[in-house]
């Protein structure tokens, strides 16, 4: 099994957490890393709303995303190309 690293980014609302993650994701992807983002939502969330932090992480190249609140969790895994499909189907 490959070694995995976990990085936690936290801060108060509107402190730049999403912007930081958006800027880091492409750099990590360029290094050949598959990066997933897990986000806690302090409120109940709607699955796949437009223009959310989760959508921004996907656009920035996240390999997967998860979001959870006190009631539910949503996780997604993405493939960037057909050549990656065999790795993403598991």
């Amino acid at each position: 099994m490959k070694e995995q690293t976990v990085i936690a980014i936290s801060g108060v609302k509107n402190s730049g957490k999403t912007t930081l993650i958006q800027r880091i994701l492409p750099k990590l992807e360029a290094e050949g890393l598959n990066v997933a983002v897990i986000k806690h939502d302090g409120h109940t969330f709607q699955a796949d709303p437009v223009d959310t932090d989760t959508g921004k992480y996907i656009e920035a190249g996240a390999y997967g995303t998860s979001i959870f609140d006190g009631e539910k969790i949503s996780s997604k895994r993405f493939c960037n190309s057909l050549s990656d499909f065999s790795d993403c189907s598991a």
Side-chain angles (χ1 to χ4, degrees):
M1 187 163 134
K2 291 182 183 177
E3 181 179 323
Q4 297 181 355
T5 300
V6 176
I7 299 171
I9 297 172
S10 63
V12 298
K13 185 175 182 172
N14 294 321
S15 62
K17 300 176 300 291
T18 297
T19 301
L20 175 62
I21 293 168
Q22 284 179 273
R23 291 181 180 166
I24 291 172
L25 281 171
K27 295 176 187 322
L28 295 173
E29 185 179 30
E31 293 293 323
L33 299 173
N34 292 322
V35 181
V37 178
I38 301 172
K39 179 186 185 321
H40 175 262
D41 188 337
H43 311 282
T44 59
F45 66 90
Q46 296 177 341
D48 299 324
V50 177
D51 202 29
T52 62
D53 289 351
T54 301
K56 293 173 185 177
Y57 302 146
I58 294 165
E59 286 182 27
Y63 183 70
T65 63
S66 291
I67 182 171
F68 64 97
D69 61 24
E71 300 173 359
K72 59 194 166 301
I73 186 169
S74 173
S75 295
K76 296 188 178 188
R77 190 170 174 188
F78 304 95
C79 294
N80 294 327
S81 71
L82 290 177
S83 65
D84 292 338
F85 185 72
S86 63
D87 293 335
C88 292
S89 60

